[in-house]
């Protein structure tokens, strides 16, 4: 996540070692997926059970955000931040988002991600046919573990964030993720483990 103005987003210096989903703060990504042209990287549709449990689960913008978080975690685990080696990761982001997401990813390499950062969509607002703003609750700390011992790096913390997802042709891409500085609850996020 990134911070805007004086509001120190959830993922600032302390989150640099924990949150890979945020711009402006460090982030880790799991092993890269095999090289595939960006246009061929599909965003997996949520399972029917996920849609029933998550009222935003069928939203392609939400699926795109979850796809970004998953690819980020995979890149961290692979200790890889070179965009050329991460076509599935870069295929989830707009060119503008790559400007903050790649440095964030590089800052978070080294630890292990048990899955993508847990996130919950609180609201989804359509700003036209090709732009969606999501209000999120995100576990921004206490998710990454030490590779050597498997211990959590720090206590769990949950914070609110805003994400902008835009349509580019047939694909939805993450354009921005910014923390609001407000806290939220563990009950508002959904965990996914590898």
């Amino acid at each position: 996540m990134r911070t805007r103005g004086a509001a120190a987003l959830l993922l600032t210096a302390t989150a640099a070692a924990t949150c890979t989903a945020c711009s402006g703060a460090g982030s880790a990504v799991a092993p890269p997926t095999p090289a595939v042209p960006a246009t061929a990287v599909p965003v997996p549709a949520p399972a029917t059970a996920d849609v029933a449990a998550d009222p935003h689960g069928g939203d392609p913008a939400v699926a795109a955000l979850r796809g970004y978080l998953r690819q980020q975690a995979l890149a961290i685990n692979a200790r890889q931040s070179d965009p050329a080696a991460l076509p599935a990761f870069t295929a989830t982001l707009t060119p503008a988002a790559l400007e903050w997401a790649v440095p964030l990813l590089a800052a978070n390499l080294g630890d292990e991600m048990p899955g993508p950062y847990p996130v919950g969509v609180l609201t989804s607002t359509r700003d036209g046919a090709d732009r969606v703003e999501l209000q999120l609750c995100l576990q921004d700390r206490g998710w990454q573990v030490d590779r050597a011992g498997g211990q959590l790096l720090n206590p769990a913390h949950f914070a609110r964030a805003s994400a902008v997802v835009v349509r580019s042709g047939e694909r939805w891409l993450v354009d921005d993720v910014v923390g609001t500085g407000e806290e939220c609850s563990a009950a508002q996020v959904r965990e996914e483990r590898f």
Side-chain angles (χ1 to χ4, degrees):
M1 304 211 153
R2 287 188 303 144
T3 59
R4 284 196 181 147
L9 183 55
L10 330 167
L11 311 170
T12 53
T14 46
T18 55
C19 182
T20 60
C22 311
S23 61
S27 172
V29 183
T33 57
V36 177
T39 56
V41 178
V43 175
T48 306
D50 288 344
V51 174
D54 179 358
H56 302 287
D59 186 333
V62 173
L65 175 71
R66 292 189 195 283
Y68 157 67
L69 294 173
R70 180 176 180 74
Q71 291 305 318
Q72 178 192 51
L74 291 172
I76 290 170
N77 289 350
R79 298 181 183 183
Q80 179 61 261
S81 64
D82 178 5
L86 300 169
F89 172 73
T90 60
T92 66
L93 299 162
T94 65
L98 286 170
E99 296 295 318
W100 57 260
V102 171
L104 179 65
L105 177 62
N108 282 292
L109 299 182
D111 299 307
E112 187 75 24
M113 297 285 288
Y117 278 103
V119 66
V121 177
L122 306 176
T123 63
S124 174
T125 305
R126 298 236 174 243
D127 299 327
D130 297 331
R131 187 176 189 278
V132 176
E133 185 169 346
L134 304 172
Q135 296 302 314
L136 312 170
C137 179
L138 178 74
Q139 182 174 351
D140 65 338
R141 290 193 303 267
W143 185 247
Q144 284 180 294
V145 297
D146 176 71
R147 274 188 201 268
Q151 303 90 358
L152 288 174
L153 295 175
N154 44 38
H157 182 264
F158 301 86
R160 292 189 53 149
S162 171
V164 174
V165 184
V166 297
R167 183 177 8 217
S168 175
E170 296 300 313
R171 298 180 305 141
W172 285 88
L173 305 172
V174 173
D175 190 50
D176 203 7
V177 180
V178 180
T180 67
E182 300 172 47
E183 293 190 357
C184 55
S185 163
Q188 295 176 294
V189 303
R190 186 182 102 198
E191 283 187 13
E192 175 190 342
R193 294 183 180 262
F194 295 127

